[in-house]
Amino acid sequence: MANNTGPTARVGHSDVRELRGPLLVLGDTDGVGWDEFATVSVDGGAQRHGLVLEIDGDETTLQVFEGTEGMALGGVEVRFQGRPLSVPVGDGWLGRVCNGRGEPLDGGPPVTAEETAPVGGWPLNPVFREPPQDPVITGISVVDALTTLVRGQKLPIFSIPGLPHLTLATQIAAQAATSSGRAFRVVFAAMGMTHADIAYIRDRLEERSAAGELVLLLNAADDPVIERILTPRIALTVAESLAYDHGSDVLVVMSDMTSYAEAVREVSAARREIPARRGYPGYLYSDLATLYERCGRVKGREGSVTIVPVLTMPAGDITHPVPDLTGYITEGQVVLDGDIDARGIYPPVDVLSSLSRLMRSGAGKGRTREDHLDVAAQILSAMSRARSASELAELVGAAALSETDKAYIEFRTVVERELLNQGRDELRTLQQTLDLAWQALSLLPRRELTMLSAEFLDRYLPGPEGGARL
């Protein structure tokens, strides 16, 4: 952890009264501040790092990032630094691969810079926030067409274990871009990953990393759990610097936020706090908000921070505290579905459960294409009708359906096979995506396309004379 020690370090404290999981309770402390950074020296061991979590009289509780394993009550000295935990910031992070604490994994030197910033970030006056606008094009049809990601938005991916959410997250990180003309950067924060997943992430994003457009922070499942709490904060601190100081559009992908929340729960249990829903602390909502709200556009600054958190829902339960609270804070969701995945469709997005609440700020005339919003509305309406027709077919048999209902069922099949389904490294332009959407809509009678103007139908609908099917 570069740039966290220096002449401000205070006298050492050695009155260690308790070691409790990742926590160290230190007595006889005075003048210590909440969230203050500290170094922990252990006899015969490497130096560790901690952060003040709680102050009670003359006792101070620290969370030790590397854990307290191997430590004893004697032989430990703690030095407080007089400031919050900070990391170097700037473009020196680009192209680097580091662990969850920001220490190099790529064989290079530690990241250094003239300036540092606290990992907790700075509160932003809402008056200086500007509304998200303009699209972030991912090259993934289902996202770009139906749940458009907007520059400055926070749009989570809800998944269940076993689905290809990591594949989707890395594909977004590898392909995403804006048309703003500004530099586009990606910060990928992996939390609680297996070593196989980490190898996949590094391999999949190697090209973007080699181009100097990517920062990788990789926290493995066997790394100290406290590091998992630090990883997204470092990622967002780096992203804020690249965006607001260097004028870049920055996409932050954070996976898996459920692993992060479990780390928060573990620390809460070690602090002996009274648990709330499912054992998570009552402040989980505000804790997640301190991360998700560090995005957006700032008045007078060119850059932006866009956040795509990825989280797995235990047992597919969308009412679980992590997805439930995330849904309150963020601006929509992309929901992956096991039944769609079983049909061999990638990415297996349930479009009727997914939405981007800010899509109208980033799509349409002057931003994507004039017909985009109307096409998306018509696709979703038709997919809803197709689902109803399929359920009716299960009750009365397909032969008893009307020709219109049969057309809707055929439409859904084509949408899933041609529009929603694509290769795991396939990059589609928005033009290609919208053309595929119109091809699917051409299967429906023209009278059913009530959300599309006659002008759009004549111009874009495939078929003789602009798709003159009745």
Side-chain angles (χ1 to χ4, degrees):
M1 291 186 182
N3 295 346
N4 285 309
T5 60
T8 58
R10 301 175 182 177
V11 66
H13 297 265
S14 56
D15 183 15
V16 179
R17 297 181 179 178
E18 189 176 359
L19 298 171
R20 193 166 67 235
L23 305 184
L24 181 153
V25 180
L26 189 67
D28 194 22
T29 57
D30 184 38
V32 176
W34 182 83
D35 211 28
E36 186 171 343
F37 179 69
T39 56
V40 183
S41 300
V42 184
D43 286 349
Q47 187 180 76
R48 307 186 193 191
H49 308 85
L51 207 62
V52 174
L53 201 62
E54 187 176 339
I55 299 171
D56 184 11
D58 71 334
E59 285 191 345
T60 298
T61 301
L62 292 88
Q63 53 183 5
V64 182
F65 297 133
E66 297 86 351
T68 61
E69 185 177 350
M71 295 173 61
L73 296 184
V76 175
E77 184 180 65
V78 179
R79 290 182 179 271
F80 297 98
Q81 304 301 308
R83 60 180 182 274
L85 171 63
S86 300
V87 293
V89 292
D91 55 13
W93 287 92
L94 294 172
R96 300 303 305 272
V97 181
C98 300
N99 65 14
R101 298 192 302 276
E103 298 170 344
L105 295 175
D106 53 11
V111 178
T112 59
E114 294 183 0
E115 296 185 5
T116 63
V119 299
W122 298 105
L124 178 63
N125 189 329
V127 172
F128 292 99
R129 284 192 181 273
E130 291 193 349
Q133 67 177 29
D134 304 322
V136 176
I137 301 300
T138 66
I140 300 169
S141 290
V142 66
V143 176
D144 293 342
L146 305 178
T147 57
T148 308
L149 179 62
V150 181
R151 187 169 65 94
Q153 184 181 10
K154 40 193 180 290
L155 183 66
I157 297 173
F158 289 0
S159 184
I160 58 177
L163 295 188
H165 47 270
L166 183 60
T167 303
L168 178 59
T170 53
Q171 187 173 7
I172 290 173
Q175 298 180 173
T178 62
S179 58
S180 65
R182 288 180 290 273
F184 189 82
R185 310 299 187 204
V186 177
V187 180
F188 196 106
M191 292 162 280
M193 295 289 174
T194 66
H195 290 280
D197 285 341
I198 286 176
Y200 171 78
I201 293 169
R202 295 186 65 169
D203 181 64
R204 182 69 177 87
L205 300 179
E206 182 179 5
E207 185 175 341
R208 188 144 231 172
S209 181
E213 300 173 347
L214 176 74
V215 181
L216 271 180
L217 296 172
L218 304 172
N219 166 259
D222 57 355
D223 286 336
V225 69
I226 276 295
E227 179 182 299
R228 210 158 298 153
I229 296 177
L230 190 61
T231 303
R233 288 174 167 79
I234 293 179
L236 290 163
T237 302
V238 172
E240 287 170 340
S241 173
L242 293 173
Y244 306 134
D245 297 333
H246 295 263
S248 301
D249 287 326
V250 184
L251 172 66
V252 182
V253 180
M254 303 188 296
S255 179
D256 181 333
M257 291 304 297
T258 302
S259 294
Y260 168 83
E262 288 172 352
V264 172
R265 179 169 60 180
E266 184 169 330
V267 172
S268 175
R271 293 175 65 181
R272 297 169 184 167
E273 295 174 330
I274 298 174
R277 293 171 58 193
R278 311 243 183 139
Y280 291 96
Y283 53 78
L284 181 62
Y285 177 88
S286 58
D287 188 282
L288 291 172
T290 61
L291 301 178
Y292 296 148
E293 293 295 349
R294 292 174 68 176
C295 72
R297 300 165 60 240
V298 178
K299 190 176 297 183
R301 304 293 180 96
E302 287 294 322
S304 63
V305 176
T306 306
I307 297 180
V308 176
V310 182
L311 55 94
T312 50
M313 303 177 291
D317 181 9
I318 202 167
T319 66
H320 184 274
V322 180
D324 186 34
L325 297 177
T326 295
Y328 281 115
I329 303 167
T330 55
E331 296 135 354
Q333 66 274 335
V334 176
V335 180
L336 306 190
D337 182 81
D339 292 337
I340 297 174
D341 181 65
R343 295 201 292 271
I345 297 165
Y346 171 85
V349 175
D350 181 356
V351 296
L352 296 181
S353 298
S354 305
L355 81 157
S356 171
R357 294 191 180 97
L358 299 181
M359 182 171 171
R360 289 191 172 274
S361 300
K365 188 174 182 179
R367 293 189 173 93
T368 52
R369 207 170 77 178
E370 58 182 356
D371 60 317
H372 185 173
L373 291 171
D374 291 346
V375 166
Q378 186 67 72
I379 289 280
L380 292 173
S381 174
M383 289 292 283
S384 178
R385 172 72 181 274
R387 176 176 291 183
S388 298
S390 295
E391 292 171 351
L392 181 61
E394 292 177 359
L395 292 174
V396 302
L401 297 181
S402 67
E403 291 302 317
T404 300
D405 283 339
K406 291 177 182 178
Y408 273 105
I409 292 175
E410 181 187 1
F411 165 82
R412 186 177 74 165
T413 301
V414 171
V415 165
E416 290 185 343
R417 186 180 66 238
E418 304 294 338
L419 176 62
L420 307 186
N421 186 45
Q422 69 182 86
R424 299 183 181 221
D425 57 358
E426 181 183 357
L427 172 61
R428 288 181 184 166
T429 65
L430 186 62
Q431 179 76 26
Q432 290 173 320
T433 291
L434 293 178
D435 287 349
L436 288 170
W438 277 106
Q439 288 286 349
L441 289 170
S442 69
L443 298 174
L444 297 175
R446 182 165 174 149
R447 65 177 181 274
E448 295 292 317
L449 306 179
T450 57
M451 296 185 175
L452 295 163
S453 67
E455 178 188 355
F456 288 164
L457 290 170
D458 292 340
R459 184 183 307 172
Y460 295 109
L461 190 65
E465 300 180 1
R469 281 184 67 182
L470 299 177

